[in-house]
Amino acid sequence: MSTAAARYVGQSVKRLEDPRLVTGHGRYVDDIMLPGMLHVAFGRSDLARATITHLDTSAAEALDGVHAVFTGADLNSHNDSLRASLHPPESPAPPANMLADGDVRFVGDPYVMVVAESRYIAEDALELVDVEFEPLDPVVDYETAAESDNHVHPELGGNLAHDLPVPNPAQQEVFENAAHIITETWHQHRQTNVPMETRGIVASWQPHAGVMEVWASTQSPHEMQLVGARVLGIGEHKMVVHFGDVGGGFGQKMFLGREDMAVLVAAKLLASPVKWIEDRRENLLASNHARIEQMTVSMAVDEDGNFLAADLDQLEDDGAYPLGGPATPGAMATMLYPGPYRMGPVSWRARTVYTNTCGRGAYRGPWQMESVAREQMIDRVAREIGIDPLELRRRNVLKPEDLPYQVSTGLFYETTISPEQTLEQAAEMIGYDDFRAEQAKAREEGRYLGLGMALYIEPTSMGMGPLGTESAMLRVEVDGHVNVFMGTGSHGQSLETTIAQLVADELGVRPDDVTLHQGHGSGYGFGTGGSRSAVIAGSAARAAASGVREKVVAIAAHLMEASADDLEVADGVISVKGTPAASMTMAQVAATAYQNSDALPPGTEAGLEHTARYKAPPTTHSNACHICTCEIDPGTGKVTLLRYVVSEDCGVLINPMVVDGQIAGGVVQGIGGVLYEHCVYDESGNPLASTFLDYLVPTAAEVPDLETGHVVVPSDTPGGHKGTGEGGAIGAPPAVFNAVADALAPFGVYPNRQPLDPNAVLSLIASASDS
Amino acid sequence: MADVVGLLGEHGDDAKPLAGGQSLVPMLAMRLTRFEHIVDLNKVEELFGVTADNGGVRIGAMTRQAAVETDATVAERVPLLHLATPHIGHFQIRNRGTIGGSVAHADPASEYPAVMLALDGVAEVASASGTREVPAAEFFESTFMTAVAPDELLTALRFPAWEQPAGFAFDEIARRSGDFALAGVAVGIGTDGGGRINRAAVGMLGVGPTPLRASSVEAALTGLAVADADPAEIGRLAADDMNPIGDVHASADYRRRAGSTLVGRVLADALSQLTQEANGG
Amino acid sequence: MVADQISLSMTINGRARRGVAEPRLTLADFLREQAQCTGVHLGCEHGVCGSCTVLMDGEAVRSCLLFAVQADGADITTVEGLAPDEETLHPVQEAFRDCHGLQCGFCTPGFIVSVTAFLEANPDPSDEEIRHGIAGNLCRCTGYQGIVAATRQAAAAMKGSGQS
Ligand SMILES: Cc1cc2nc3c(=O)[nH]c(=O)nc-3n(C[C@H](O)[C@H](O)[C@H](O)COP(=O)(O)OP(=O)(O)OC[C@H]3O[C@@H](n4cnc5c(N)ncnc54)[C@H](O)[C@@H]3O)c2cc1C
Ligand code: FES
Ligand code: FES
């Protein structure tokens, strides 16, 4: 039998999701309007830590149009755990309260929930809730949280959520004799995902049927199903999760929030459809924050700039109620620190602490601190020892002959990574030497240009635990159209198109002939996140298509009295090679399979469908190099990005347009993080960036044109793909940071924390001229 | 209009005029403020439009910022308004936002109040008991507070003519395109026709509780020959005229430092127009 | 707290519509809930993100910052009203699709309406003008690369077809 030809994979096929989305006919959760639907507004704490001394909801309940007012005491007994699938049941976690009960633990902590005929009335009712608080000393500074006697969660007896020390005696030995040991503490700051569509859920309980029907803005419909069923104490089959359009997530919608759970419980108690659409203020203050972390790095380097060993100490703020459970991204960040270099032995320690702030959650590249700390450190080392940063990377980068490579921290790199190639391609694209010449000339004129780069390896498509597999149920319908049911949760990643492209090639149809269905009816899968869909979901779709193709060819061969080996299938037509006139359509094969099964080859099962589940290898690594240039205005501290290039290797590209789009989105989030965005808290734990005028998501005017280059080394997974969703947000922060640091070099200052907003840059310059 | 003024007189503090709604509605939506009565000015025709006025212009309070931006009379007679307008938010905001709303709202980081102050503009104010005029210098009382009482309506702004040869320039530092300014400056410099400065008007935004005039800068410029003015050095004097506070976007110190650098740059821009003029450019 | 309902009428995407609204109901909520124009998206409800942008009497405005009663008598166009028929996209919509100017699609209706109005006023914009012209709309997915390219393409297409 012939193998599938790549007709569509590799092409920038126009997206199948677009016609509805560009005309306003997408269906997002807020577009679900059910008869009798009620609306939720949450009352949230204005204090970071306080005891609730008085709470009277009677006036709110009495308001016309209000159906119910719930407090923690009403709801929390309906849930014994906030546990997400990735969070091991035995590990300690904050108490399982959907609504604060007795005390509040961060500004934005929901303590009361109004359910009313409209959101307007629900908010009116909140103003009638009579509540009094007795303020307590909050834990705001995560650097000192572990030592504080004030405990964010008194139940846990302390603020340290995790402490994982992994010393390596070999590292200590190397340090004793190294030519240079350079130490710096790198800080990231509090940012948040900011999907343009906030969180939201509609839940509708069917009494007696015992079914909860849910429409949710989620990246993972199966997580919603499993955890929702557990919260409600119903069977998973009774939890029906519809998946529509989702307006972005970037990690925020991977897990259920406490509010989602509260809505599920309320909908069941009231037996009415209930909708909650988070408003932007809630999203900025109480969904999840991320990147509140620091890593102290010491690196040993020899005379020639060869990296010898590293010692890492990572500390991260989990906030009060981390979304998805108290995770240990710091452990990943430290483990991944060696990146694409020969780094020698590494010792590390990773700690996470609770504070009275908004909980931490996954944000695109949740452990990208490894690249931030490493790439910033490398530029720092380069400056200290007087070697050009590109040259220093060239000396230490893993080369093809080094592969496969066992990293001292336990990672293992397959032969299909290509860091050196992407480094060279990016250097070529930016015109490295020419830029250095231009920079030198500009400095003579009193202008401050800088260049920053970042090279990284990204573990994608993790093959462990609940993350390890995805399934695809593929069915060719009677009319020849292909329906694919998958456990993914595409929310911008274009899976309706890329899965269709994969299936089109593998099965021999056109992408237009394929429709992807997610949510209810699909087989278990972890959803879309962690750069996992191309490899894991893609391979499942491919396997399902290939199973059906075999059957299509066997049936067609039988019907056409031809040999299966002589048949080819393309664009929905099965024909004899070299004799295109001898052909039949997919629809004819399908009609036979369902409606005339007696005509099938003997022993062939009726129907035309196949289910396949793909189990991923432990990791598939993609890699990239980002280089950007900037100019600093020394009078105002404003940073203007001049050029931005990315060279990346995500293996075989399914749809280059989509890959470039994923990179661009990630890069601009990274740029936003370093230069603009900041969830500022004051010392009392008040969040100060509660609107889009304070939390500054970059606009088109703040970002340069992006130039992308591709190195294609196919991975060993079935299609040769590697994951690509998060990379932009991993490479951009250190590249931008390094560019600014480079531009500031003539002042003799070196930043070690973000954001590098005009205020920060100007104070760095001022500190130079003051000293 | 009489109706509107009547309503404001009747309900006093419980009523609030609604102009473009680009500041008032977000505050209502976030439930930061509420009023029993909202008096919509959008259908009050007398409040719209630009008219030539004695060499200057008179602009009705409800004139949209977008209309100010494209109005030829404004561009010719009050170039600073024309230069400042594109810095206000985005075109969708300017399609609704009004010059009267901007001035009445009195956000210290707003463009129009600083321009009005620099150019000695005059506000026309009406109430049930009559009309009065308030010069810009008395108009801005403190952050978000003006001389317009709750029962009064701002009806128009007048910008007097500049008789002498002049250079005008405006610029600001904002975090993103369209954001409120961290610091901004509006400059008008007039000469006696012989290259000597006889009028300097410098209004600053974002560097105090209200828009401010850089009086030290104005004093230093007045009487100087254009060719002798060192804008960077004179700009530094502006730091003394500022009274900034810090917020999430920038510290007070930042506003003072970067703001005075900006003053120097904008002075240079305005002066260069006069130099070009002198050179017959 | 149930306020008086005010009846109003407006033209929405070429069709005359009537409705009732309490004074505080925003135009955005009215369009979404009573006129089924769910392409009007709400990303912030305080005027910054631009997702709710519609044309009112031909001008791009934030529908979250208007009360429905203020649009009484007005001619409103939402993203649903741009395409000439079910088979054809408006040139701006076509360009967004061609240039990958959208990912999750949530910001897209607001962008498309804004770009349509922007090109109306500036039929031949430079890249710099495009970037500032569309700065009143936020997108979290695309990094704006595809949106800038789409605006460029739409400008060319609309000039070619005399649409602007
Ligand atoms: C995203 C965004 C960005 C913005 N960026 C800027 C910016 O960079 N610079 C800037 O200056 N502004 C900016 N604004 C604010 C905008 O310019 C407002 O339109 C303006 O400040 C207020 O004008 P308005 O007509 O919308 O007034 P409204 O919001 O209707 O009213 C504002 C206040 O003034 C009062 N008021 C209005 N008119 C009168 C009157 N005639 N008499 C008495 N009182 C009156 C109202 O009662 C209210 O208290 C921005 C707004 C948004 C949403
Ligand atoms: S929802 Fe109207 S501007 Fe954001
Ligand atoms: S496409 Fe998702 S916000 Fe723009």
Side-chain angles (χ1 to χ4, degrees):
Chain A
M1 198 187 80
S2 62
T3 54
R7 289 171 83 90
Y8 296 106
V9 169
Q11 305 298 314
S12 292
V13 170
K14 288 189 207 172
R15 299 202 321 164
L16 300 178
E17 31 289 78
D18 286 354
R20 69 170 189 273
L21 298 179
V22 299
T23 54
H25 295 98
R27 199 192 272 188
Y28 300 85
V29 62
D30 196 18
D31 304 339
I32 303 297
M33 299 181 197
L34 303 176
M37 189 169 76
L38 303 176
H39 300 260
V40 168
F42 288 100
R44 296 177 182 274
S45 170
D46 290 326
L47 295 166
R49 187 163 170 255
T51 308
I52 301 176
T53 50
H54 173 78
L55 180 56
D56 177 0
T57 60
S58 52
E61 276 160 48
L63 185 70
D64 270 357
V66 170
H67 283 237
V69 181
F70 295 112
T71 63
D74 302 323
L75 285 195
N76 292 339
S77 58
H78 294 272
N79 186 14
D80 60 6
S81 148
L82 298 177
R83 185 170 65 81
S85 294
L86 286 184
H87 186 66
E90 64 279 7
S91 77
N97 60 18
M98 297 174 279
L99 297 178
D101 193 2
D103 66 327
V104 289
R105 298 179 183 186
F106 70 102
V107 174
D109 201 352
Y111 63 86
V112 65
M113 174 188 192
V114 177
V115 189
E117 272 156 28
S118 76
R119 172 84 185 212
Y120 291 76
I121 296 173
E123 289 182 17
D124 291 342
L126 284 182
E127 293 177 9
L128 301 176
V129 170
D130 187 10
V131 61
E132 280 164 32
F133 294 103
E134 168 91 40
L136 299 169
D137 260 355
V139 181
V140 182
D141 176 13
Y142 79 103
E143 298 189 24
T144 54
E147 289 84 50
S148 172
D149 292 332
N150 296 322
H151 293 165
V152 175
H153 299 297
E155 303 83 352
L156 296 178
N159 294 329
L160 195 61
H162 289 285
D163 186 358
L164 201 66
V166 185
N168 181 342
Q171 170 267 321
Q172 285 145 11
E173 252 165 62
V174 175
F175 266 49
E176 276 157 29
N177 305 307
H180 306 279
I181 292 175
I182 296 145
T183 301
E184 182 58 273
T185 301
W186 302 103
H187 303 258
Q188 293 207 87
H189 63 286
R190 191 178 281 272
Q191 299 158 48
T192 179
N193 308 36
V194 187
M196 289 313 297
E197 179 202 35
T198 56
R199 297 180 297 157
I201 182 170
V202 171
S204 177
W205 177 248
Q206 300 167 11
H208 302 287
V211 168
M212 182 63 85
E213 203 175 2
V214 169
W215 292 258
S217 182
T218 177
Q219 300 175 221
S220 180
H222 287 275
E223 177 76 0
M224 177 61 70
Q225 183 184 5
L226 292 181
V227 176
R230 181 151 47 70
V231 169
L232 294 169
I234 60 175
E236 285 162 23
H237 63 292
K238 299 277 193 183
M239 179 84 186
V240 173
V241 179
H242 300 288
F243 185 83
D245 288 305
V246 175
F250 317 107
Q252 184 166 92
K253 298 175 182 171
M254 209 71 207
F255 305 102
L256 282 74
R258 294 157 72 208
E259 297 90 343
D260 294 313
M261 301 182 192
V263 169
L264 289 171
V265 172
K268 186 169 178 230
L269 292 174
L270 296 172
S272 292
V274 174
K275 176 190 268 188
W276 171 62
I277 303 296
E278 183 182 52
D279 71 21
R280 183 55 64 187
R281 183 170 184 274
E282 295 180 286
N283 182 258
L284 289 170
L285 300 189
S287 57
N288 73 281
H289 292 167
R291 313 239 199 280
I292 323 121
E293 57 195 327
Q294 55 179 275
M295 194 191 283
T296 301
V297 181
S298 295
M299 262 174 82
V301 180
D302 74 12
E303 305 287 1
D304 300 324
N306 294 307
F307 304 158
L308 301 177
D311 183 22
L312 317 170
D313 189 355
Q314 156 87 6
L315 178 65
E316 183 164 17
D317 186 346
D318 242 354
Y321 291 97
L323 189 61
T328 49
M332 284 298 288
T334 39
M335 209 165 121
L336 294 171
Y337 180 85
Y341 305 98
R342 279 173 273 105
M343 187 64 69
V346 177
S347 292
W348 43 278
R349 177 179 189 191
R351 282 170 301 158
T352 319
V353 292
Y354 293 111
T355 59
N356 291 110
T357 63
C358 176
R360 177 205 172 275
Y363 177 31
R364 203 172 198 166
W367 48 76
Q368 47 77 287
M369 188 62 184
E370 47 84 24
S371 286
V372 169
R374 180 189 63 248
E375 294 301 311
Q376 293 175 187
M377 191 68 194
I378 290 175
D379 269 33
R380 183 74 210 248
V381 169
R383 175 121 39 117
E384 286 293 307
I385 65 176
I387 298 182
D388 175 87
L390 174 59
E391 175 58 26
L392 185 61
R393 286 179 175 81
R394 282 178 170 149
R395 285 186 198 173
N396 289 284
V397 69
L398 290 170
K399 302 188 170 53
E401 59 268 27
D402 297 322
L403 303 174
Y405 188 78
Q406 178 66 55
V407 186
S408 72
T409 54
L411 307 169
F412 182 77
Y413 297 149
E414 56 277 16
T415 55
T416 53
I417 60 168
S418 58
E420 191 192 24
Q421 294 95 307
T422 54
L423 177 67
E424 295 303 336
Q425 187 181 59
E428 169 92 39
M429 285 165 72
I430 200 84
Y432 191 81
D433 296 334
D434 291 349
F435 177 83
R436 289 297 184 202
E438 185 191 339
Q439 180 184 39
K441 195 153 152 284
R443 278 182 188 168
E444 284 167 20
E445 297 160 4
R447 289 175 50 222
Y448 300 91
L449 305 191
L451 177 147
M453 67 184 105
L455 182 67
Y456 64 90
I457 291 186
E458 178 191 358
T460 76
S461 329
M462 309 276 249
M464 315 125 174
L467 292 165
T469 78
E470 283 287 336
S471 92
M473 293 160 37
L474 185 147
R475 192 162 71 222
V476 181
E477 307 293 355
V478 181
D479 69 353
H481 192 83
V482 184
N483 281 318
V484 191
F485 299 80
M486 304 197 64
T488 47
S490 184
H491 52 288
Q493 293 75 5
S494 321
L495 290 187
E496 288 173 48
T497 307
T498 51
I499 293 290
Q501 285 176 262
L502 290 170
V503 168
D505 274 358
E506 198 67 30
L507 182 55
V509 295
R510 292 164 308 194
D512 282 348
D513 299 329
V514 183
T515 304
L516 175 67
H517 303 264
Q518 303 168 95
H520 183 57
S522 64
Y524 177 76
F526 196 69
T528 295
S531 307
R532 61 193 296 277
S533 290
V535 171
I536 309 185
S539 298
R542 187 185 287 272
S546 146
V548 171
R549 179 195 173 96
E550 246 172 73
K551 190 163 175 186
V552 168
V553 169
I555 296 172
H558 179 71
L559 295 175
M560 291 161 73
E561 298 181 355
S563 149
D565 293 339
D566 292 341
L567 293 186
E568 60 187 4
V569 192
D571 290 350
V573 177
I574 305 97
S575 55
V576 179
K577 270 180 244 167
T579 324
S583 69
M584 62 189 301
T585 63
M586 190 65 77
Q588 289 171 312
V589 173
T592 310
Y594 291 106
Q595 298 179 324
N596 190 13
S597 48
D598 292 335
L600 294 174
T604 304
E605 194 185 322
L608 210 46
E609 54 198 303
H610 189 78
T611 297
R613 180 168 285 280
Y614 177 73
K615 164 75 174 82
T619 39
T620 303
H621 293 94
S622 59
N623 56 270
C625 181
H626 293 216
I627 305 187
C628 72
T629 59
C630 74
E631 176 160 5
I632 285 177
D633 179 339
T636 64
K638 241 190 121 105
V639 176
T640 305
L641 296 178
L642 303 172
R643 284 183 64 202
Y644 202 111
V645 307
V646 176
S647 165
E648 66 83 49
D649 182 353
C650 67
V652 174
L653 290 87
I654 302 173
N655 185 323
M657 175 185 86
V658 167
V659 170
D660 287 353
Q662 289 298 309
I663 294 169
V667 164
V668 172
Q669 287 180 322
I671 291 172
V674 177
L675 300 180
Y676 299 98
E677 301 172 31
H678 191 184
C679 304
V680 182
Y681 275 84
D682 70 11
E683 286 123 38
S684 329
N686 293 311
L688 303 179
S690 64
T691 73
F692 269 164
L693 285 177
D694 305 313
Y695 191 81
L696 305 181
V697 171
T699 78
E702 280 74 53
V703 301
D705 279 330
L706 217 77
E707 306 156 53
T708 42
H710 302 282
V711 170
V712 180
V713 180
S715 73
D716 294 332
T717 65
H721 316 303
K722 305 167 184 174
T724 191
E726 297 162 289
I730 299 173
V736 173
F737 186 98
N738 284 341
V740 176
D742 186 42
L744 287 172
F747 296 98
V749 291
Y750 213 109
N752 67 357
R753 63 178 70 233
Q754 318 161 3
L756 291 167
D757 55 23
N759 193 92
V761 170
L762 202 63
S763 14
L764 280 162
I765 293 174
S767 73
S769 42
D770 292 350
S771 63
Chain B
M1 196 175 87
D3 293 351
V4 170
V5 179
L7 280 171
L8 293 177
E10 191 181 324
H11 296 290
D13 279 345
D14 291 338
K16 195 76 181 157
L18 172 65
Q22 306 298 291
S23 296
L24 181 57
V25 179
M27 292 194 299
L28 293 169
M30 292 188 256
R31 296 188 181 232
L32 298 174
T33 176
R34 73 186 310 161
F35 300 95
E36 284 306 304
H37 305 278
I38 298 285
V39 183
D40 188 1
L41 307 180
N42 284 277
K43 303 243 157 96
V44 186
E45 266 165 44
E46 303 104 288
L47 296 177
F48 288 81
V50 177
T51 43
D53 172 70
N54 242 341
V57 297
R58 178 178 185 279
I59 306 180
M62 280 302 292
T63 307
R64 308 277 179 211
Q65 294 153 353
V68 174
E69 189 174 2
T70 52
D71 188 277
T73 313
V74 169
E76 195 203 312
R77 298 187 174 197
V78 198
L80 270 182
L81 276 181
H82 180 71
L83 293 171
T85 307
H87 292 273
I88 303 176
H90 312 281
F91 76 91
Q92 302 91 332
I93 304 297
R94 300 192 293 272
N95 280 342
R96 291 301 297 176
T98 64
I99 190 167
S102 278
V103 169
H105 190 54
D107 188 315
S110 268
E111 289 78 4
Y112 284 156
V115 171
M116 177 180 165
L117 188 66
L119 298 181
D120 299 313
V122 175
E124 297 179 8
V125 176
S127 69
S129 52
T131 59
R132 62 185 185 113
E133 296 191 347
V134 186
E138 292 161 27
F139 189 87
F140 301 103
E141 296 182 339
S142 61
T143 304
F144 302 125
M145 301 294 276
T146 71
V148 181
D151 65 345
E152 287 183 317
L153 186 71
L154 172 66
T155 53
L157 297 165
R158 288 208 318 272
F159 294 86
W162 274 57
E163 310 291 351
Q164 63 272 72
F168 294 100
F170 182 95
D171 203 3
E172 65 181 41
I173 307 166
R175 294 288 309 271
R176 296 172 305 182
S177 174
D179 277 337
F180 279 99
L182 301 180
V185 55
V187 170
I189 301 177
T191 66
D192 59 7
R196 192 158 296 279
I197 298 169
N198 65 2
R199 183 173 175 192
V202 182
M204 302 186 293
L205 48 140
V207 291
T210 61
L212 295 171
R213 283 186 82 134
S215 353
S216 332
V217 173
E218 293 173 350
L221 283 168
T222 310
L224 273 187
V226 169
D228 295 340
D230 176 343
E233 192 173 316
I234 298 177
R236 271 194 280 279
L237 301 174
D240 295 335
D241 298 324
M242 299 176 183
N243 183 16
I245 53 156
D247 64 11
V248 285
H249 299 306
S251 64
D253 184 53
Y254 173 88
R255 286 166 204 265
R256 206 186 287 274
R257 274 181 202 255
S260 44
T261 303
L262 185 72
V263 171
R265 290 179 184 176
V266 177
L267 287 179
D269 186 357
L271 288 166
S272 77
Q273 295 165 25
L274 291 163
T275 322
Q276 277 163 19
E277 225 155 76
N279 297 340
Chain C
M1 250 186 236
V2 180
D4 299 342
Q5 300 279 337
I6 296 173
S7 41
L8 45 117
S9 65
M10 58 184 98
T11 307
I12 301 174
N13 296 329
R15 280 170 59 196
R17 301 286 298 241
R18 290 173 176 288
V20 290
E22 58 173 320
R24 66 175 173 171
L25 188 78
T26 64
L27 177 61
D29 284 343
F30 178 82
L31 291 170
R32 288 181 50 77
E33 286 163 21
Q34 295 194 35
Q36 291 79 45
C37 293
T38 52
V40 177
H41 290 167
L42 293 169
C44 70
E45 296 170 276
H46 52 255
V48 187
C49 76
S51 305
C52 66
T53 308
V54 302
L55 301 179
M56 178 154 112
D57 299 325
E59 289 192 331
V61 298
R62 310 290 211 218
S63 63
C64 70
L65 298 187
L66 278 158
F67 296 109
V69 292
Q70 293 184 284
D72 190 23
D75 184 356
I76 303 287
T77 305
T78 70
V79 71
E80 287 98 333
L82 292 176
D85 58 61
E86 266 224 38
E87 267 62 59
T88 323
L89 297 177
H90 182 280
V92 174
Q93 294 171 325
E94 190 80 54
F96 268 68
R97 187 179 190 208
D98 289 348
C99 303
H100 198 29
L102 65 153
Q103 291 180 20
C104 78
F106 195 80
C107 69
T108 311
F111 263 103
I112 285 176
V113 171
S114 289
V115 167
T116 304
F118 170 71
L119 292 178
E120 196 83 33
N122 310 273
D124 194 11
S126 67
D127 273 16
E128 178 73 8
E129 286 165 341
I130 292 177
R131 286 187 177 279
H132 286 277
I134 63 175
N137 290 72
L138 298 178
C139 173
R140 192 54 158 171
C141 296
T142 62
Y144 304 104
Q145 305 295 317
I147 298 178
V148 172
T151 307
R152 236 183 261 135
Q153 173 181 318
M158 285 160 78
K159 250 191 309 180
S161 70
Q163 272 225 25
S164 66

